[in-house]
Amino acid sequence: MREKIETLFTEIERLTANSLEEVEAIRIKYLSKKGIIATLMDEFRHVPADRKREVGMKMNALKQAATERLQQLKEQFAQNGTAQAGNDLSRTAYPVALGTRHPLSIVREEICDIFKRLGFTIAEGPEVEDDWHVFSSLNFADDHPARDMQDTFYLENGQLLKTHTSAAQNTIMRKYGPPKPGHALKALFPGRCFRNENIDASHENTFFQLEGMMIGENISISNLIYFMKVLLTEVFEREVKVRLRPGFFPFVEPGFELDINCVICGGEGCPTCKHSGWLELLPCGMIHPNVLSMGGIDPEKYTGFAFGLGLTRLAMMKYNIRDIRLFNSGNLKQLKQFTR
Ligand code: FA5
């Protein structure tokens, strides 16, 4: 597999195109859902566990290289009309500004790729939900004070805007059912969340979370910690300082808050981390037996973990963005600078 990756690196570096159609053909060949790189991602399952990390990082770099080469080829046409032929009468008289992906999309795709390689299914839930999915199926009692933890936007028809991605847990448990012996139910579900918040440098009323869930016969806190470490190391491409505190959520027992050392101020204290040096990033825990039961999964037989990553906050950390409001600002000048 290593040789295959190396060959592809050389191949990608040497790619040329004579028209935008050819650029598109290259995209389909290498980067589409059934393209060479996606196929390679599938083969990743067979890589021995002790080499997964090294090969995984190489594959990420390969995907990155292909994306960047494609972008370069596209830009060539934006500036010149055609790459090699000098006079293309169909080209525009002025350079066409190309769009870029939103930093949140870049980080979301990066994490989805990591988890896909680890065998997780990517799912998504609706943004408009009902009380059962957002609260009751997650073990929030009717008069539970925890319901007040999240300021909910209610719609006139009684439905509500999803306040957290945990809202999809029940649907996913019911859709896939208990795992077969020796297997685990592994799902990742990113989504937009809404809370009636006072907006400041680190709080938005519309932001993204990314939920992960793993259920099987012997899933323990060690599995949870392993996956969290892989995730953070790959995203930041280095070891990051984290701390685990007990956390309370009615749908996990025990529950934890995983904080990350604020990489914006290096832990010195800044408005983003509210001068604490730490940013709350990754609440997680072992799924409460009641939640498993409500999802049709026998808690006597199965255990599982869940985590709810603050994706917008993670993107802030990764790109050193000091104010969360940038993401929804539509400020293209700033948003366009993030390409990987
Ligand atoms: C939850 O939403 C839980 N559903 C997470 C969870 C899942 C716990 C599974 C256990 C098991 P919390 O309200 O803390 O937890 O939000 C999770 C993350 O979303 C926070 O750590 C933070 O990074 C992000 N977040 C929350 N509110 C905002 C906001 N207003 N703006 C931006 N990010 C936010």
Side-chain angles (χ1 to χ4, degrees):
M1 189 142 185
R2 188 191 291 167
E3 270 171 28
K4 236 190 221 173
I5 296 178
E6 292 305 335
T7 315
L8 279 167
F9 262 118
T10 319
E11 204 174 300
I12 282 165
E13 215 174 279
R14 294 185 184 153
L15 285 172
T16 54
N18 290 313
S19 64
L20 274 173
E21 286 74 26
E22 284 186 23
V23 177
E24 177 58 7
I26 290 175
R27 187 194 67 75
I28 292 170
K29 180 173 172 193
Y30 290 93
L31 285 166
S32 65
K33 273 190 183 156
K34 290 191 178 153
I36 292 177
I37 293 178
T39 315
L40 211 59
M41 297 276 184
D42 285 343
E43 286 173 28
F44 183 77
R45 264 182 286 145
H46 308 300
V47 172
D50 60 338
R51 294 204 42 236
K52 271 201 158 50
R53 196 175 130 67
E54 173 216 340
V55 177
M57 286 173 97
K58 278 222 161 76
M59 282 179 30
N60 272 345
L62 179 69
K63 188 169 178 201
Q64 192 60 47
T67 311
E68 277 169 15
R69 185 70 194 123
L70 206 73
Q71 185 64 19
Q72 285 166 356
L73 290 174
K74 266 193 205 162
E75 275 166 14
Q76 230 174 335
F77 290 104
Q79 282 155 19
N80 302 331
T82 58
Q84 272 124 37
N87 292 324
D88 176 3
L89 298 180
S90 65
R91 77 181 166 94
T92 51
Y94 47 87
V96 178
L98 288 178
T100 51
R101 283 184 307 152
H102 193 281
L104 282 173
S105 308
I106 299 175
V107 182
R108 186 188 57 218
E109 277 172 34
E110 189 180 354
I111 299 176
C112 286
D113 281 348
I114 297 169
F115 278 87
K116 264 194 245 171
R117 292 201 314 268
L118 296 167
F120 279 67
T121 299
I122 313 295
E124 213 157 326
E127 289 177 356
V128 174
E129 271 288 9
D130 54 25
D131 183 90
W132 162 258
H133 287 95
V134 179
F135 295 120
S136 305
S137 69
L138 289 164
N139 203 33
F140 286 80
D142 285 346
D143 57 351
H144 201 295
R147 281 177 191 255
D148 298 334
M149 286 190 331
Q150 300 173 354
D151 298 311
T152 312
F153 287 115
Y154 283 92
L155 306 182
E156 277 174 3
N157 65 4
Q159 288 187 297
L160 47 102
L161 296 182
K162 170 166 82 183
T163 56
H164 57 169
T165 41
S166 306
Q169 282 192 14
N170 186 271
T171 310
I172 289 170
M173 286 181 205
R174 295 222 160 255
K175 178 170 175 192
Y176 294 101
K180 292 193 199 111
H183 286 74
L185 162 54
K186 294 192 268 184
L188 191 75
F189 28 113
R192 196 196 315 255
C193 304
F194 308 85
R195 292 186 195 176
N196 190 3
E197 294 263 17
N198 287 328
I199 297 178
D200 60 27
S202 55
H203 292 84
E204 254 293 359
N205 54 21
T206 305
F207 58 96
F208 281 81
Q209 287 186 349
L210 190 144
E211 187 103 354
M213 185 168 85
M214 179 171 183
I215 299 171
E217 284 184 39
N218 284 307
I219 305 300
S220 69
I221 295 176
S222 324
N223 297 109
L224 168 64
I225 293 172
Y226 169 78
F227 281 102
M228 299 304 94
K229 275 199 173 155
V230 172
L231 164 68
L232 294 170
T233 314
E234 291 226 17
V235 170
F236 290 101
E237 293 168 14
R238 61 187 158 92
E239 293 277 336
V240 282
K241 232 175 162 182
V242 296
R243 70 176 184 190
L244 209 59
R245 295 177 284 124
F248 169 72
F249 301 91
F251 38 97
V252 283
E253 181 54 42
F256 306 104
E257 286 281 2
L258 193 146
D259 299 337
I260 168 172
N261 197 229
C262 182
V263 288
I264 289 179
C265 62
E268 300 264 295
C270 68
T272 308
C273 62
K274 294 223 168 88
H275 303 281
S276 70
W278 294 94
L279 259 196
E280 202 181 289
L281 187 71
L282 224 171
C284 50
M286 299 305 291
I287 303 175
H288 195 289
N290 292 351
V291 175
L292 289 172
S293 290
M294 284 186 272
I297 293 180
D298 181 1
E300 298 289 326
K301 191 166 170 200
Y302 298 99
T303 49
F305 69 73
F307 62 89
L309 172 73
L311 191 68
T312 311
R313 296 238 178 110
L314 183 80
M316 289 175 80
M317 294 287 102
K318 184 172 162 85
Y319 294 121
N320 207 344
I321 294 172
R322 286 160 193 265
D323 196 317
I324 199 168
R325 287 166 280 206
L326 171 75
F327 293 101
N328 294 342
S329 68
N331 182 338
L332 292 183
K333 211 167 159 193
Q334 297 214 20
L335 289 168
K336 277 180 82 165
Q337 49 185 320
F338 308 102
T339 51
R340 53 172 302 221

